[in-house]
Amino acid sequence: MKILIARMNHETNTFSPVATPLSAFGLNGGKLGPSFGDDAFNDNKGMQTAMAAFIDAAAREGAHIVTPVSAAANPSGPVDAAAYDAICDAIVAATNGCDAVMLDLHGAMVAENSNDGEGDLLERVRAALPNAPIAVALDLHGNVTQKMIDNADVIVSFKTYPHVDMYETGAHAARLLFASMHGDVKPVIAWRQPPLLTHTLRSSTAEGAMKRAVDAARAAEADGMLAVSVLSGFSLADIEAPCISVVVVGNGDHAQAEAVAERIARQIWNEREDFVYRSAPLAESVAEAAALAKDADKPVLLLDHGDNCMSGGTCDTMDLLEEALARQLDGIVTGPLCDPQAVAALMAAGVGSTVTITIGNKVESGAGAPRAPVAMTGVVRALTDGEYVITGPTYTGQRAHMGRAAVLDTGTVKLVVTEHTHEPWDLGVFESVGIDPRRARFLLLKSRMYCRPVFVPISAGLVECDSRGVTSSDYGLFAFKNVKRPVFPLDADAEWNPAH
């Protein structure tokens, strides 16, 4: 048995100015480009990715494994056409003679030459292998399309956000694929997609309507469905329907799968207001953080989710730091701030030098009015290659690359400035440049969710802060042109006809 296994992950923010060339598809910001062949196998084997689970499952079956490519990039703007073609062509070229396909996809990829990155790829794979079963693992934030449904036999998405079940999702999809090939099950897919643009901060699976929807999905699986996935979608993609979806894989009984998808989607629609996040003004958020810090013996976290690189942010906006300084907060540690020009200047100055440079607000995001870079004077405390090993729970053991990194200490604030946008996955973001984040009074992180498993345990409290960045929760900042209207919450009177 010959099995094709590949990975293509990108969450596309079509409003983001951050480019996505082929070189962006490296490991954790490594800017090395995709890995191919044996390298793709080795980069996933033993990791916590869906592709790793596919490899393990295929090996247990004694299959001949073909791994043409593993390509994963941080969220950013539309994928370059040449990059998209290179990744898809590698996968399609490897289909010859394969008996089955397992693809580790995100589900929200938009390329310069494709508004439906995953759907168009799956259509090509299906055309090349019309009789081979295709299993797909998706991110919880995938934007499901009809092409994806039509060209896959098994679809399973993550059930956690933050995503800590990537491997388990791949294992689930692989288990159903092989059970189907052995004749033990007969997968059928049903799909519902209410016209609801969810906010990422309302897709946490630990609370609220999203938790209730995922709980319903788990209950349906316990009641006989092969897989039930709730995908909150990624609304900062200006495509026809970047909306929440329910995908059900039933066992032979399509009507039963349809009924389950309908029931859970109706539950979601009835609770649609709970999937909308209403941001407080930035000044109020900073004032709340200051109050939390009065009697605290641990740092207070301020999460700048309006400029979050894991949704396509530039990591360049200075709104939150400027507001914190205006309110005379001190003991601040912040970063990573992406400013290659500032890093070059700090590198040239050297450790121990006192410098005045401008930082941030250099990339025009298109979200709100342009702001001027901020002049800051301080001492260069550290200069590094910006690499560290992630301790977990996400991407445990993988080496992270921030690009070259520098620390500027103004006395009031220590800024970690990097060449690449980078999610604060780990304490290593700070410890690798000589900062103990536990000793800060205020930690200003450009993050929405992934930092929480690591930084919440060392903090006294958390305040969500919405800067006017390209990942803001204020949809009014974005000119949606392609989204099918009416859609909630852009249109308060939107209605849903279950016949999607």
Side-chain angles (χ1 to χ4, degrees):
M1 184 162 44
K2 184 179 180 182
I3 308 292
L4 190 159
I5 297 173
R7 184 182 188 202
M8 184 180 80
N9 287 179
H10 187 254
E11 183 178 80
T12 305
N13 180 335
T14 61
F15 301 103
S16 173
V18 180
T20 315
L22 190 64
S23 61
F25 287 87
L27 292 174
N28 294 304
K31 308 299 178 183
L32 303 174
S35 52
F36 298 92
D38 290 344
D39 289 338
F41 181 98
N42 293 329
D43 283 347
N44 285 273
K45 179 64 177 173
M47 295 293 106
Q48 292 299 304
T49 62
M51 183 169 173
F54 292 160
I55 289 170
D56 290 346
R60 286 193 296 271
E61 292 284 333
H64 172 58
I65 300 171
V66 179
T67 54
V69 63
S70 176
N74 283 342
S76 49
V79 178
D80 286 3
Y84 177 70
D85 288 345
I87 297 166
C88 292
D89 289 350
I91 294 171
V92 175
T95 57
N96 186 41
C98 288
D99 299 292
V101 178
M102 292 189 283
L103 297 177
D104 177 350
L105 306 177
H106 183 283
M109 175 183 277
V110 178
E112 293 174 337
N113 54 342
S114 173
N115 275 349
D116 185 2
E118 289 85 358
D120 288 343
L121 168 63
L122 286 167
E123 187 176 57
R124 291 182 63 189
V125 173
R126 176 68 80 196
L129 292 171
N131 299 314
I134 300 172
V136 177
L138 294 177
D139 190 287
L140 175 142
H141 294 106
N143 292 325
V144 180
T145 68
Q146 190 65 53
K147 276 189 182 180
M148 294 162 67
I149 297 295
D150 291 344
N151 293 289
D153 299 281
V154 171
I155 295 176
V156 185
S157 78
F158 306 158
K159 284 187 172 67
T160 63
Y161 180 52
H163 308 316
V164 294
D165 65 335
M166 293 181 285
Y167 184 94
E168 290 78 6
T169 299
H172 190 168
R175 186 166 62 250
L176 296 184
L177 178 89
F178 288 120
S180 172
M181 295 179 75
H182 296 320
D184 298 329
V185 298
K186 184 180 179 182
V188 293
I189 296 182
W191 172 47
R192 291 293 186 275
Q193 188 177 59
L196 170 58
L197 300 181
T198 73
H199 280 99
T200 305
L201 278 167
R202 287 290 179 261
S203 61
S204 168
T205 53
E207 60 187 6
M210 187 63 181
K211 179 181 186 300
R212 290 188 288 275
V214 172
D215 286 346
R218 293 186 188 279
E221 289 178 347
D223 198 35
M225 294 298 102
L226 298 179
V228 182
S229 300
V230 178
L231 299 97
S232 65
F234 183 63
S235 58
L236 294 177
D238 188 18
I239 58 175
E240 182 179 356
C243 300
I244 195 166
S245 287
V246 178
V247 178
V248 177
V249 183
N251 188 6
D253 189 334
H254 197 265
Q256 186 180 44
E258 291 281 349
V260 172
E262 170 71 21
R263 173 171 52 81
I264 297 175
R266 177 57 61 186
Q267 172 185 320
I268 289 168
W269 181 248
N270 290 341
E271 296 190 83
R272 58 190 176 278
E273 184 62 42
D274 205 26
F275 287 92
V276 178
Y277 180 86
R278 312 288 184 185
S279 294
L282 193 56
E284 288 184 15
S285 299
V286 174
E288 179 185 348
L292 284 173
K294 284 185 178 179
D295 300 313
D297 58 357
K298 295 180 180 180
V300 173
L301 294 180
L302 291 84
L303 301 191
D304 185 4
H305 61 87
D307 186 24
N308 164 231
C309 85
M310 292 310 291
S311 292
T314 63
C315 293
D316 172 68
T317 63
M318 299 293 282
D319 299 10
L320 176 56
L321 180 57
E322 288 184 281
E323 182 65 31
L325 293 175
R327 289 187 171 267
Q328 299 184 322
L329 303 190
D330 59 9
I332 298 170
V333 170
T334 186
L337 298 167
C338 180
D339 189 332
Q341 294 173 327
V343 171
L346 296 171
M347 288 279 177
V351 173
S353 301
T354 298
V355 297
T356 297
I357 61 171
T358 60
I359 297 179
N361 291 346
K362 296 173 183 175
V363 179
E364 178 52 53
S365 71
R371 284 86 86 197
V374 178
M376 307 203 77
T377 300
V379 178
V380 182
R381 297 295 187 193
L383 300 169
T384 78
D385 62 6
E387 297 188 9
Y388 66 93
V389 176
I390 298 173
T391 58
T394 305
Y395 296 123
T396 305
Q398 293 191 24
R399 179 165 289 276
H401 308 261
M402 301 187 288
R404 294 187 302 170
V407 175
L408 182 68
D409 183 355
T410 72
T412 300
V413 54
K414 292 184 176 71
L415 299 95
V416 178
V417 190
T418 61
E419 289 183 308
H420 301 162
T421 61
H422 190 77
E423 170 72 24
W425 303 106
D426 195 83
L427 298 181
V429 165
F430 298 107
E431 291 177 341
S432 67
V433 294
I435 295 174
D436 182 354
R438 302 170 189 81
R439 299 174 63 87
R441 190 158 180 253
F442 298 96
L443 272 172
L444 279 56
L445 304 180
K446 289 188 173 295
S447 183
R448 178 178 277 130
M449 194 63 66
Y450 290 110
C451 71
R452 299 190 191 209
V454 173
F455 286 92
V456 167
I458 70 166
S459 73
L462 180 155
V463 180
E464 294 164 345
C465 303
D466 195 353
S467 64
R468 313 306 276 178
V470 77
T471 69
S472 172
S473 295
D474 181 0
Y475 289 155
L477 293 175
F478 306 104
F480 289 96
K481 298 177 182 178
N482 299 312
V483 173
K484 184 178 179 181
R485 309 289 288 268
V487 63
F488 192 83
L490 300 184
D491 304 294
D493 59 350
E495 297 180 355
W496 178 46
N497 178 354
H500 68 276

